[in-house]
Amino acid sequence: MVRRVAAALTVTTLLVSGCAAQQKSPTGQGTAAPGVTDTTIKVGGVLTKTSASGYSTKDAEIGAKARFERANAQGGVNGRKIEFIGAEDDGQDAAKGDAAAKKLVQKDQVFALVPVHAPNFGGAAFLEQQGVPWFGWATGPQWCGTKTGFGYNGCLAPKQGAGSQTWWGRQMADLLGGAAGKSVYVQTSDSSGSKYGGTTISQSFTAAGFKLVGVNSGLPAAAPPPDWLPYVNKIMTSNGGKAPDVVVSVIAGTKFNVGLYSALKRAGYQGALTDATSYDAAILKDPASAQALEGVIAAPMFEPFESTAPEIAQFKQDVEKVAPGALPTQHMAIGYWSADIFLDMLAKAGKDLTREKFLATGNGDYLYENAGFGRIQYPKDHTEPNGCGALVKLEKGAFQVAKSMKCFDNVPLK
């Protein structure tokens, strides 16, 4: 009987000891964070790799991998290397994005989601509820007002009264020799995101001194229209019967912009054309697209690849190691800079890593500046954009830096 009791006590002791050991972090300081060991930190992402429209952010996976590989080659962060398991595809479907986020957290046991680059990402509420950090391009309202979502460029969908960007309008004003006496027309599609972008970008240009002569949100978002003439006629007569000095396109998709710009040029438009998506080397492979976009001024929220900045040379070198011969793309840069901010925040969180400590670091007067993307400040940028951007112009079939990365103060959104 005594032997049985002793044996039972021994088994119980071992079980308790085993549970206690499992509850200890790798450093012995409390509960271990999911995805964290003595030597590794597991992360994975969610991208729109495929979609019905052909839109894809798959290159963001290359960018993130390139940045993580350099960090690992340098010994990792606080003694741990990044175990990057790649990115799930949400197919531009919110429900699939939610399922992908749950798989990564519950099955794959990742510490954080990096990068998240999906316009219709549906996993935000789950990640916020679970306290799981996620990093990427904050293009939609699901990023804003969270404690866990860290857009590399802040929140691009601020609420009324919160800070709204002025950098695009001010950079264009500098490029065109001032905004005094100049007019601007904004063309969006009928999607909620495009309409919202039309509001914030319109204010960016008026804050810089341009006169807003029109905003048209009647363009169907599903596919380019068979006839661009109605839209072109509105634009060409918007400035008191004349054409505006600047046309801003807030439309996602090269096909849309190629159609709009070609139609405007056929109608004799001579002003400036600008958008946020035409900075893409793949465009140059198609002569018709390259011709349509000749002279267009793109507005990336990172330092252009044609820049001589050391940070861009490092970016190219990192990408070449993981994807030899790959052309840099906007999505690649977004993945790279999102990973870069995650790594900086990780380093500042310290060796004894938990999600709670990581989020406290990110939301506790966090400031990081880098010439590659400007600056980011949290918690402020959970509710407003970082206010930084550059301009690139397509001239004679090649992209040229028109204005290097610069940050400007935001103004309250009206």
Side-chain angles (χ1 to χ4, degrees), residues 11-357:
V11 170
T12 301
T13 301
L14 288 171
L15 288 173
V16 171
S17 299
C19 291
Q22 288 179 349
Q23 291 171 351
K24 289 291 183 180
S25 74
T27 56
Q29 301 295 319
T31 304
V36 178
T37 72
D38 276 333
T39 57
T40 62
I41 300 171
K42 185 189 291 186
V43 300
V46 177
L47 306 176
T48 296
K49 294 183 177 181
T50 59
S51 68
S53 66
Y55 177 77
S56 174
T57 67
K58 62 181 177 61
D59 284 357
E61 188 167 4
I62 296 174
K65 182 179 180 181
R67 185 62 187 90
F68 289 145
E69 287 295 310
R70 175 157 65 90
N72 288 344
Q74 293 172 340
V77 181
N78 295 322
R80 299 185 180 100
K81 293 188 176 183
I82 305 300
E83 181 188 347
F84 182 49
I85 63 172
E88 300 288 322
D89 179 14
D90 79 341
Q92 207 167 4
D93 180 281
K96 290 182 179 179
D98 183 48
K102 289 174 179 175
K103 172 185 178 294
L104 287 166
V105 173
Q106 296 171 340
K107 180 181 179 181
D108 298 327
Q109 292 284 297
V110 299
F111 174 77
L113 270 65
V114 191
V116 175
H117 185 10
N120 295 335
F121 181 58
F126 168 75
L127 296 174
E128 183 76 357
Q129 188 270 329
Q130 295 293 315
V132 179
W134 45 299
F135 290 72
W137 194 16
T139 52
Q142 67 268 41
W143 289 85
C144 303
T146 72
K147 293 183 179 179
T148 57
F150 298 89
Y152 90 94
N153 50 358
C155 155
L156 294 190
K159 294 181 179 179
Q160 286 191 344
S164 185
Q165 63 94 353
T166 66
W167 72 264
W168 195 344
R170 295 187 189 280
Q171 287 278 57
M172 285 293 293
D174 288 347
L175 182 65
L176 300 177
K182 293 185 175 68
S183 58
V184 62
Y185 184 97
V186 179
Q187 178 67 60
T188 88
S189 71
D190 61 5
S191 72
S192 58
S194 184
K195 287 179 179 178
Y196 197 95
T199 299
T200 59
I201 293 165
S202 294
Q203 183 169 307
S204 177
F205 278 80
T206 56
F210 289 91
K211 176 186 176 183
L212 182 66
V213 294
V215 180
N216 183 352
S217 299
L219 181 67
D227 184 8
W228 283 100
L229 194 57
Y231 303 96
V232 170
N233 286 341
K234 284 185 179 181
I235 294 172
M236 294 297 287
T237 58
S238 61
N239 186 23
K242 302 182 300 181
D245 297 289
V246 181
V247 173
V248 184
S249 172
V250 191
I251 311 170
T254 300
K255 291 181 180 179
F256 282 89
N257 287 327
V258 166
L260 175 61
Y261 299 154
S262 296
L264 280 169
K265 289 178 179 180
R266 286 195 299 270
Y269 184 71
Q270 298 292 318
L273 301 168
T274 183
D275 65 59
T277 60
S278 290
Y279 184 35
D280 183 355
I283 290 171
L284 305 182
K285 296 179 180 179
D286 177 24
S289 296
Q291 181 57 40
L293 297 174
E294 178 69 21
V296 171
I297 302 161
M301 298 186 73
F302 52 85
E303 181 68 357
F305 307 127
E306 293 74 20
S307 169
T308 58
E311 292 81 2
I312 302 308
Q314 182 69 68
F315 162 84
K316 292 179 179 178
Q317 181 179 329
D318 293 345
V319 168
E320 181 64 21
K321 287 182 179 179
V322 300
L327 291 173
T329 67
Q330 176 170 316
H331 302 308
M332 202 180 289
I334 289 165
Y336 184 91
W337 294 119
S338 299
D340 184 69
I341 295 171
F342 169 71
L343 291 169
D344 180 77
M345 202 175 289
L346 198 62
K348 291 173 180 175
K351 177 72 173 178
D352 298 328
L353 183 64
T354 65
R355 284 180 180 152
E356 292 77 12
K357 185 178 179 183

Side-chain angles (χ1 to χ4, degrees), residues 391-409:
L391 297 177
V392 178
K393 188 174 184 179
L394 183 60
E395 294 184 289
K396 298 180 180 179
F399 290 111
Q400 307 288 339
V401 179
K403 298 291 293 185
S404 283
M405 171 63 60
K406 191 173 181 180
C407 300
F408 297 83
D409 290 336

